[in-house]
Amino acid sequence: MDDRAPRTLRRDLAIVAIVAIAARALYFIARAGTDSFQLPIVDAELFDKAARAFADGRPTSNDDWFFHGIGYPTILGVLYTLFDSSVLAAKGAQLALGVATPLLTLLVARDVFERRVALGAGLIVAVYAPLIFLEGELLDAGSTALLAIALIFTTLKAARSHRWPWGLAWGALAGGAILVRATFIPYCTLALAGMFIVNARELRPRRWRWILVAGGSMAAVLVSGAWEALARSGRFTVLPSSAGLNLFIGNNAEQCRTLALRPGLEWDLMERLPRNEGVVGIWTESDWFRRRACDFALHAPASFLAGLVRKAGALLISREIPRNVDVYLFRSDSRVLAAGLWKAGRFGFPFGVLLPLAPLGAVTERRRIPWPIWLMLGSYAAMLIGVFAVGRYRIALVPPLAILAAAGVRTFALSLRACQLRQALRSIAIMLPALLLTAAPGPFCAERLDLRPELQYLLAAAHEHRGDDDVAEEGYRAALRLNPGYFEARHDLGRLLLRVGRFAQASTELTAAAAARPQHVPLLLDLAVALGQSGSLEQAVDVRTRCTDPGLPT
């Protein structure tokens, strides 16, 4: 660590803070007036719904509250309580809290490397566009990046100080991190064991207190979360109810299809698979999916291992693989995104630069890098590969990777400055395979989808939910112009027209939808009503009669 006066550290922290605040302020100002920023969709809509109920003191359904875990809905609910349930205020607060991520990155790096490396690491995270985007969404992803670097920071402090306040801070943070994202379970468990092992020789009876406080405070937080799950849903667990489903999505014989499934009928049909076999309940359904994933791994080991390799490639790829939204669709909304996030062929910036530099720093500075950084990178990456990896889930790895990348930049710059050709070539030899690996694989299943129609459709549905029928209708039609075969957009447009009394137009749209899904009972019921209201009684009776076929899915 640079041992110069604290004044230098304060100056570096101020520089990183100013850059981080400026980038996030520019991003917020540019996007604050856009529909895509103001309207929560897909997972964000689920979080928004649960958080609003929390802020209003209303009961939430177990499906909403436990699906992604209780950690982030609680955080968002507190923000809604403070800011009168304002989406913009909550997003602004999240972006403000996000400034802590680069600051902690600088502090961790400064604990290991000299000033320039630490400053570089902090600045990388301060302007990392995918992170800024996720901090401004009603999703838990932005929080995971902050939690990851905060866990590394507190692990280092607790393990070195042997003081119970740091143990208490680490344990509370670790428990909270697990409630936000269960993917932190391996890190927190192994870090607790690691802190004990590393300090075992120095632990006299009087010095056990800090490690006991660390473990006890983590356990207390986790037990409180598990107790809430037991009281409300009958299962003592800290896992989200989506755990089994997510494991199944990434581990089955049709991995490509399930990873590319979009919100709509096909997704609903997959979620109903346990219910089709009589399995009902959020935890028993999760268990059903988990058993299917485990059975696949046991009975098709070659396919399972091949799937792990593909998921490892998705984790390392330079491009941002979409999950519910495609971050590249929002580049035109903000200069911060336009400059800091782009693709050129199979190369994606900024991860395509960050990842190749990180191995250089890891190799050349391996003896200086503390074990919590290695543990975070290894444990979290392993969890993502075991389930599935997309751009928003790997964001937690960015702060520790930024530290290694900044060290790599320093190594390469020193070799060039000293005209050390052999060292420079060695550095290139380390970075080149990583660069090729980040750009070569793909396109992955989710990348093959054009998500522009879906974005238009989801925003239209959000407008309809708010009562903006005219805007919603135009949104549905915009989605259909991009994809005329978009079943959900056609169906929902027909429903909207039916609801507002435009029966003839509703019949036209619903008939077109029925041509794509002639056995979808909810659609047939809507079509029968539209036909009857528009005067086509015989057709309405015929369609209604088809709904009674016991072979039709509901």
Side-chain angles (χ1 to χ4, degrees), residues 77-367:
V78 171
L79 292 177
Y80 277 173
T81 302
L82 294 174
F83 299 112
D84 196 26
S85 297
S86 168
V87 169
L88 286 180
K91 289 189 171 187
Q94 289 186 171
L95 286 164
L97 291 171
V99 175
T101 306
L103 294 178
L104 285 172
T105 303
L106 185 151
L107 290 174
V108 171
R110 181 101 172 191
D111 196 52
V112 182
F113 299 105
E114 57 272 16
R115 171 183 173 259
R116 291 183 180 180
V117 172
L119 181 59
L123 290 174
I124 289 171
V125 178
V127 299
Y128 198 80
L131 175 59
I132 296 173
F133 171 81
L134 290 170
E135 288 172 352
E137 295 297 302
L138 300 185
L139 299 169
D140 56 6
S143 300
T144 61
L146 176 56
L147 289 168
I149 195 62
L151 281 169
I152 294 173
F153 177 78
T154 53
T155 302
L156 289 170
K157 289 293 185 180
R160 291 173 180 173
S161 70
H162 299 170
R163 297 180 62 185
W164 72 264
W166 279 114
L168 178 64
W170 182 90
L173 181 65
I178 291 172
L179 294 182
V180 171
R181 268 279 164 191
T183 38
F184 284 114
I185 290 176
Y187 175 86
C188 295
T189 304
L190 295 173
L192 185 63
M195 288 189 291
F196 180 83
I197 292 170
V198 168
N199 297 279
R201 294 179 180 178
E202 303 176 16
L203 286 178
R204 306 185 188 110
R206 291 185 179 181
R207 305 191 72 179
W208 291 349
R209 182 168 52 182
W210 75 272
I211 198 76
L212 293 175
V213 169
S217 56
M218 181 178 75
V221 173
L222 295 179
V223 167
S224 66
W227 187 262
E228 179 179 358
L230 177 65
R232 291 188 49 169
S233 64
R235 175 75 62 94
F236 188 80
T237 181
V238 296
L239 295 177
S241 62
S242 62
L245 174 61
N246 286 332
L247 188 66
F248 172 80
I249 289 171
N251 299 280
N252 66 85
E254 298 181 290
Q255 181 192 80
C256 186
R257 185 185 72 85
T258 53
L259 286 173
L261 278 180
R262 310 310 307 157
L265 179 59
E266 294 298 328
W267 176 269
D268 293 341
L269 291 176
M270 182 184 68
E271 281 194 313
R272 293 176 192 170
L273 289 175
R275 296 171 223 169
N276 294 340
E277 296 187 10
V279 177
V280 179
I282 59 172
W283 303 115
T284 51
E285 290 173 24
S286 181
D287 293 341
W288 186 94
F289 282 114
R290 177 180 50 79
R291 287 193 298 270
R292 294 303 180 275
C294 293
D295 289 345
F296 169 71
L298 291 173
H299 297 108
S303 297
F304 171 71
L305 291 176
L308 292 181
V309 172
R310 286 192 295 270
K311 288 184 287 183
L315 175 65
L316 299 176
I317 198 67
S318 60
R319 305 177 300 276
E320 299 295 319
I321 297 179
R323 181 58 188 151
N324 291 322
V325 292
D326 185 350
V327 62
Y328 296 107
L329 298 180
F330 305 98
R331 292 182 68 247
S332 60
D333 292 347
S334 165
R335 292 182 180 179
V336 172
L337 288 186
L341 177 71
W342 44 268
K343 290 187 291 186
R346 292 190 174 183
F347 173 80
F349 180 86
F351 199 74
V353 174
L354 179 70
L355 190 62
L357 286 169
L360 178 59
V363 171
T364 57
E365 303 289 352
R366 58 188 178 277
R367 294 181 180 178

Side-chain angles (χ1 to χ4, degrees), residues 20 38 59 117 248 267 271 394 407 416 419 434-435 446 466 515 544:
Q38 295 181 11
V117 172
F248 172 80
W267 176 269
E271 281 194 313
R394 74 179 179 191
L416 293 178
C419 297
L435 179 61
R466 294 175 56 176
R544 185 65 181 81

Side-chain angles (χ1 to χ4, degrees), residues 45 58 152 171 274 303 309 403 432 442 464 502 519 542 546:
E45 182 181 13
R58 294 182 284 106
I152 294 173
S303 297
V309 172
I403 296 173
L432 187 58
E464 183 178 5
R502 294 158 61 182
Q519 295 183 321
D542 178 62
R546 286 162 54 192

